[in-house]
Amino acid sequence: MAQWTERRPSEEFYRVLDPDGKPVNDVPDVDESTLRRMYRTMVESRLFDEKTLAMQRRGEVSIIARTTGEEAVSCGSAAALEAGDWCFPSYRQTPAALYWGADKARAVAALMGTEPETIDEHLPLEGEPEVNFTPVYVPLAVNVTNAVGTAMTDRFRGTDGVSLSYIGDGSTSQGDFHEALNFAGVFEAPAVTVCQNNQWAISVPSHRQTAAETIAQKAEAHGVPHERVDGNDVLAVYEASREAVDRARRGEGPSFIEAVTYRMVEHNTADEESVYRNETEEEYWEDKDPIDRFEAYLLSEGVLAVDDLEEIREEIREEIQEAVDRAREVPVSDPEEMFEHHLHESTWKRDHQRAELQAERRGENPFTDFTGEGLQ
Amino acid sequence: MAQWTERRPSEEFYRVLDPDGKPVNDVPDVDESTLRRMYRTMVESRLFDEKTLAMQRRGEVSIIARTTGEEAVSCGSAAALEAGDWCFPSYRQTPAALYWGADKARAVAALMGTEPETIDEHLPLEGEPEVNFTPVYVPLAVNVTNAVGTAMTDRFRGTDGVSLSYIGDGSTSQGDFHEALNFAGVFEAPAVTVCQNNQWAISVPSHRQTAAETIAQKAEAHGVPHERVDGNDVLAVYEASREAVDRARRGEGPSFIEAVTYRMVEHNTADEESVYRNETEEEYWEDKDPIDRFEAYLLSEGVLAVDDLEEIREEIREEIQEAVDRAREVPVSDPEEMFEHHLHESTWKRDHQRAELQAERRGENPFTDFTGEGLQ
Amino acid sequence: MSSQVDATADEATEEMNVVTAVKETLRQEMHRDEHVRLLGYDIGPIGGVFRATEGLLEEFGEERVVDTPLSENGILGTAVGMAMRGDRVVPEIQFTGFFYPAFGQFMYTLVKMYERSGGNLEVPMTVRMPYSGGIKSSEYHSESTETYLVHTPGCRVVVPSTPYETKGLLAASIRNDDPVFFLEPKKIYRGSTEPVPDEEYTLPLDEARYVRRGEDITVYCWGAMVRHAETAADNVDADVEIVDLRTLSPLDVETILESVKKTGRAVVLHEARRTLGLGAEISALINEYALDHLHAPIKRATGYDVHFPGHQIEDDYLPDAQRAQYAIEAVMEYEF
Amino acid sequence: MSSQVDATADEATEEMNVVTAVKETLRQEMHRDEHVRLLGYDIGPIGGVFRATEGLLEEFGEERVVDTPLSENGILGTAVGMAMRGDRVVPEIQFTGFFYPAFGQFMYTLVKMYERSGGNLEVPMTVRMPYSGGIKSSEYHSESTETYLVHTPGCRVVVPSTPYETKGLLAASIRNDDPVFFLEPKKIYRGSTEPVPDEEYTLPLDEARYVRRGEDITVYCWGAMVRHAETAADNVDADVEIVDLRTLSPLDVETILESVKKTGRAVVLHEARRTLGLGAEISALINEYALDHLHAPIKRATGYDVHFPGHQIEDDYLPDAQRAQYAIEAVMEYEF
Ligand SMILES: Cc1ncc(C[n+]2csc(CCOP(=O)(O)OP(=O)(O)O)c2C)c(N)n1
Ligand SMILES: Cc1ncc(C[n+]2csc(CCOP(=O)(O)OP(=O)(O)O)c2C)c(N)n1
Ligand SMILES: [Mg+2]
Ligand SMILES: [Mg+2]
């Protein structure tokens, strides 16, 4: 049996930039504004994590799971999408949403436990989103199957949309993942699945999740083309994703990408990672920070200047503060919203139970209906 | 998308005997009595199918699923087991059970819909079975996970038992299959999983189940060693299974075997295979009958003489007839047996509901207990 | 409120059984709306193990009649994605007893996406499942699993009891914007026929149906049990009212209460196990809202709390007209 | 029949909360019987997300405390195999809300193997699941899913309500030869402590417990709801009897009926949704077997028929002492 003892993932993967930001392979053709947008997104995600962590410590939000150290994965892959595509995130893909201009105030409000109806009312979405984002999925792996479903419809309709979904390394142990990839393979669905392999599933290390050498090779089971990339290299992720997305759009079927990265922090704020992993491992990965790497590259290419860096951060911090302020102004959800959006029409039971809740909140006895004709 | 149009599975697999029974590879070292036992088992299974099909046509048994044409797979693999091992069949592995001396009368009684308690009472098992057979699993793929569980316990205890389970090609699309193989890989469980790839899952052809070239490669996803064999060649199946079982017994972990065979008949007696497949395909496979092939080999080697053949068949027919006669003597199950073996102790509800059933069968009203103190 | 809908005499009709009504309704809906897409294994060339989709592959092609790999969870999970993309998906699960592997997608996405997204993503879907017992098949082919569905918010559960009802309820289910489980009682797939209008029509998805009116006692039932209730009603010395629930979720509580307030006595007849079978909920509702109308305890004539038994003794498990009659008589004879 | 078991004064005891009681009982049982094996993800080095298995990996090694890949269905399915092989397996499912992917193994093998094999194969197993709400966590971390289990034959369902009960019921579950679901109310994991005997002891798995005796009305409850029933009982102007069901399956029908036949009034208090929540079954049983003792309808003070809401409004969903009190008062004031 595999032990908890440290083990580093193989570096047999595709890489554009080495950890110091030096190109070791052909750099993909990305225009400067996109490069800046990627960089900004990753920083934004990192600072957003910092801010919400502080809020969590003050008790303003309940539990949060940070993306810190893993920003390149969903930033680089989501950047390969185009307007009209679909994206199915799990809880560690803040950069994907931010890349496509997600309203941070809505995200903060969601972390504060606000019901979606209240958010929609007080922080309405502005305009149509370019990329269709589903709500964040809490149950693991099931988003991949849904994404294959949207992709199948695109395939059957002959339209050219692409569906992108994310899964953690641990979650590839779930049957759902395999069922989804199998459907994708059989129907040649335009579905791109990205595994954000951050080496841990809470306390269980990636090498105890599977005896397979790589997560990428899991796609062999389904005849789905796969690629393994350095997940801390946003350009490598982008390039592999771009290829996969283009292939899907051309009707050439699904792809699976393993992006090798590292959860630099706790699983979530209820976790204590020092209990199960050691500092040498953490230090090994600190040197591979995806933001530092990309920053070094952009500086060396002159896409960014040293002076820009703090300016960008300052601007983002302000945006985040403004978003938090807006989120704080959203009132606490109306308890009656728990009855919303179960069926499209109301029902006898819903009406009666809602009336019970209303009575209770008025300080009246909700149980005095003995005829079914409703509370008097 | 893959079509229903005919497609033949690749013949890139391990084979000992060609379809005419001529060795094309080293013949494994198997003693003559074992060779004869294998041959006899396959014939027995075929004749058992014929008999129960006739009974089904007369309405004596409800629905049956024949193993016709696929006998080599479970015969050759079960022959690799040893006393004390565990075997987890699905519904198309009659030969595995027959190889280990299953009581055919009990099997017939089960097909007649007799409750297991009635069978145990009227056709008790004689002695301890050499290999532990579970009941036949009707729900697909779940047996594989259970088998990995027994194997894990053997591994944890440091004992040397092996667990063998079977799965159809269609059933490898179920998440259970992957979850099970993943556990087997991680825990290096002494679990051998055999896929009886008979090219069809009811009406769905194997090449529409997956985009993978072979079922064998599905094990790549889990770092589990795999082998693809000619499933109509009992010696090839035996050899691959023997290696896998020995490896497992030595503590070297799990294996997966794809045995390529063909469902020569209907899925079950409720099916009409002519609706969805064609005669050329059926003819192609008729030439590959596993019994004919093995018979040719045994005759050429002098292990059997032509005169033996009809004698063996006659002997088996008599045994089967005797088994059917014994099964027919088993009385119809007592309806009260439906209450048996849910929990180890009785419960209030069980006692009351059993009393209701008893009353109903006596022609009395079972609903007259209005106090909970039982029927008067 | 509830209503008896009848095929009026001057309409063009065709004599159909339940399984034909399923097939013809699917065909009609697929012609009506190009977004209707069928999904499931074995639904293509053989048209499903009960032939309910026979001929549809030829007629609509394999983009509309999608024969899938063997995975119930994969079927439900991809169907949810299709529905999110605007399809009206009609997945088939081969038997209710094979629904269990799909429980993850059921709970996490199918019944949840609409609520989770604050109403922004819809999942219009009709999951067809051959349901309940009586055909002497093997394990897992006979179960009545409605409790798992009815206890779960975010979906509807519908059970037709005649060919006419089948067409109207199935069309309504497909057109409905919620996920609907459409449970087809296998026992009555082919048993009998009745004239079914050629015209499109729908029946309401939240109204029970009075099969017959009576003054003395109410029998609540659905699916294949309705005809047993009718036989029992013919055989007892009481004026029996029969309510076919049709929609098990949401329940037509109004009709349930209306009937028992009039009759004062009630029996629930269902195939599912008794403990937390739907009879428990009906009994509890009556207790909460109509107790002082009640002249006798409510009896549940149901399956027993056991795994569905082998086919030799299946008839001893399943409620029938005799068991219904016993329950009616016991309740009628009860005096406080 | 039912009995109140107390720690007698002269025994050595230790002050414990529920989660410590779980851990110490696991330790004691693992020492007692080498066939006890724990299984689940994150149960090793961190001792589970609630620390209920903390220290056990070090003490018993990784063959006895098996940290698994992330698959609930894999955990349950391999656990069944282990149990068939003679282990007494104690799998952990991290939260009840993550049980759903395991529904296939649950229905097909866990509850079925013993029956399917005619009693020849046993599946002794105790599935531990942190259960129910009140800790303001996110989606799927707060559910009360007992209906799915209680409606299913072939398993027991146990819920402790105090540290003392936890130890006795968990030890009994592990030693029992049936599959047991042991649902641990998260809300009371750490809330309060009580002295728990160091000695081994077990409590019966089919007897409800009288928390207090009373003459006027019975409150049926379990788990974290028991303390709300007690507060409500203290605050109302009635002599309340409180029955802690402890074992939701099989139900102690005798005690349920005994109590209500005496008091004539009843309330069920539970966190699960109302429709087909266990309250429905209790109400239906009382209706069937004790109707003429009843002086008022039975009210169900429960969660609503909705998906468990976000934590901002969780307290509005969950029943509490106030809701219990309202239900008691309404039933007490009712006159035919
Ligand atoms: C079906 C399901 N089971 C369990 C959980 C609880 N859980 C939340 S995160 C997590 C670990 C996931 O690990 P991984 O897939 O590697 O993703 P990561 O957190 O590392 O991004 C677990 C077990 C869940 N959310 N859903
Ligand atoms: C979980 C589950 N789903 C569906 C079925 C119904 N069913 C029985 S056999 C079968 C086809 C199985 O195909 P395959 O795995 O290839 O095995 P084969 O019958 O060819 O031996 C199906 C769908 C089942 N028994 N269990
Ligand atoms: Mg991870
Ligand atoms: Mg097959």
Side-chain angles (χ1 to χ4, degrees), chain B residues 120 136-137 139 142 145-146 149-150 152-154 156-157 176 179 187 341 344 348-349 369-373, chain D residues 37 71 73 77-78 81-82 85 87 105 108-109 113-116 118-120 122 177-178 261 281 289:
Chain B
D120 277 345
V136 161
Y137 283 75
V142 297
T145 325
N146 291 175
T150 56
M152 282 168 67
T153 288
D154 272 312
F156 295 143
R157 289 184 187 164
D176 285 83
E179 295 168 324
F187 296 105
H341 296 118
H344 279 73
W348 193 97
K349 290 208 177 193
D369 178 5
F370 292 102
T371 63
E373 267 133 50
Chain D
R37 199 186 304 280
S71 159
N73 198 48
T78 54
M82 293 177 176
R85 194 79 186 74
D87 286 350
Q105 287 290 342
Y108 294 139
T109 75
M113 188 55 67
Y114 181 53
E115 186 261 355
R116 176 79 173 102
N120 292 313
E122 301 186 315
D177 289 331
D178 299 315
K261 282 181 183 175
E281 181 62 29
Y289 297 114

Side-chain angles (χ1 to χ4, degrees), chain D residues 40-323:
Chain D
Y41 48 77
D42 300 312
I43 68 167
I46 56 162
V49 293
F50 291 102
R51 309 296 180 262
T53 56
E54 200 165 35
L56 300 180
L57 173 66
E58 290 74 14
E59 193 166 342
F60 297 98
E62 63 177 17
E63 280 83 19
R64 303 278 308 277
V65 178
V66 184
D67 219 315
T68 68
L70 208 175
S71 159
E72 293 79 11
N73 198 48
I75 291 170
L76 234 60
T78 54
V80 168
M82 293 177 176
M84 289 164 71
R85 194 79 186 74
D87 286 350
R88 282 191 183 271
V89 201
V90 187
E92 176 186 285
I93 298 292
Q94 203 161 65
F95 289 88
T96 41
F98 299 133
F99 180 68
Y100 313 130
F103 221 79
Q105 287 290 342
F106 165 56
M107 296 293 292
Y108 294 139
T109 75
L110 192 146
V111 298
K112 184 77 170 142
M113 188 55 67
Y114 181 53
E115 186 261 355
R116 176 79 173 102
S117 68
N120 292 313
L121 286 166
E122 301 186 315
V123 185
M125 185 183 311
T126 303
V127 185
R128 293 181 43 246
M129 302 207 271
Y131 161 81
S132 67
I135 61 160
K136 300 214 181 295
S137 193
S138 45
E139 282 187 290
Y140 301 108
H141 293 72
S142 306
E143 278 130 303
S144 294
T145 55
E146 62 267 22
T147 283
Y148 303 110
L149 308 172
V150 173
H151 180 58
T152 308
C155 63
R156 295 172 186 268
V157 182
V158 176
V159 187
S161 60
T162 72
Y164 177 84
E165 292 280 312
T166 299
K167 178 166 178 177
L169 291 170
L170 181 54
S173 298
I174 293 173
R175 297 177 194 191
N176 190 281
D177 289 331
D178 299 315
V180 180
F181 285 90
F182 192 80
L183 309 180
E184 302 169 1
K186 292 183 287 289
K187 177 67 184 176
I188 56 169
Y189 257 158
R190 296 173 199 282
S192 64
T193 63
E194 69 180 349
V196 173
D198 293 343
E199 283 268 286
E200 292 180 13
Y201 63 93
T202 61
L203 294 172
L205 293 187
D206 53 4
E207 289 185 20
R209 170 177 79 102
Y210 284 109
V211 178
R212 67 170 73 175
R213 303 274 184 166
E215 296 297 323
D216 297 341
I217 185 168
T218 306
V219 177
Y220 300 100
C221 53
W222 55 90
M225 289 293 106
V226 172
R227 82 218 140 86
H228 289 319
E230 294 189 76
T231 309
D234 290 341
N235 292 340
V236 294
D237 185 24
D239 188 17
V240 179
E241 180 148 300
I242 300 177
V243 175
D244 172 5
L245 291 180
R246 304 204 287 203
T247 301
L248 310 191
S249 182
L251 279 174
D252 180 357
V253 183
E254 219 164 299
T255 301
I256 290 171
L257 296 180
E258 175 184 274
S259 177
V260 76
K261 282 181 183 175
K262 178 181 69 179
T263 60
R265 295 174 195 262
V267 158
V268 192
L269 182 64
H270 66 60
E271 295 185 42
R273 295 180 289 266
R274 187 175 302 161
T275 296
L276 284 175
L278 191 52
E281 181 62 29
I282 293 168
S283 179
L285 282 169
I286 292 173
N287 189 309
E288 265 164 322
Y289 297 114
L291 187 63
D292 50 8
H293 296 271
L294 218 50
H295 304 139
I298 300 162
K299 282 288 174 186
R300 297 181 280 171
T302 66
Y304 302 109
D305 287 319
V306 299
H307 295 299
F308 201 95
H311 60 77
Q312 273 187 2
I313 59 175
E314 159 176 23
D315 288 341
D316 296 281
Y317 172 88
L318 287 174
D320 57 8
Q322 177 63 62
R323 194 174 297 167

Side-chain angles (χ1 to χ4, degrees), chain C residues 19 22-23 26 47-48 50-54 56 128 184 189:
Chain C
V19 77
V22 168
K23 183 168 61 191
L26 290 174
F50 290 102
R51 310 295 182 263
T53 56
E54 201 166 34
L56 300 181
R128 293 181 42 246
E184 301 168 2
Y189 258 158

Side-chain angles (χ1 to χ4, degrees), chain A residues 65-66 70 90-93 137-142 167-172 174 176 196-204 209 263 267-268, chain C residues 108, chain D residues 41-42 49 70-72 94-95 97-101 139-141:
Chain A
R66 294 194 279 163
E70 308 178 36
S90 119
Y91 49 83
R92 224 185 284 283
Q93 281 84 36
Y137 283 76
V138 172
L140 304 168
V142 297
I167 185 164
D169 47 311
S171 306
T172 64
Q174 294 278 20
D176 286 82
Q196 187 162 324
N197 179 359
N198 63 3
Q199 312 306 319
W200 291 91
I202 308 187
S203 73
V204 181
Q209 282 293 343
R263 200 190 75 208
H267 167 71
N268 64 24
Chain C
Y108 293 139
Chain D
Y41 48 77
D42 300 312
V49 293
L70 208 175
S71 159
E72 293 79 11
Q94 203 161 65
F95 289 88
F98 299 133
F99 180 68
Y100 313 130
E139 282 187 290
Y140 301 108
H141 293 72

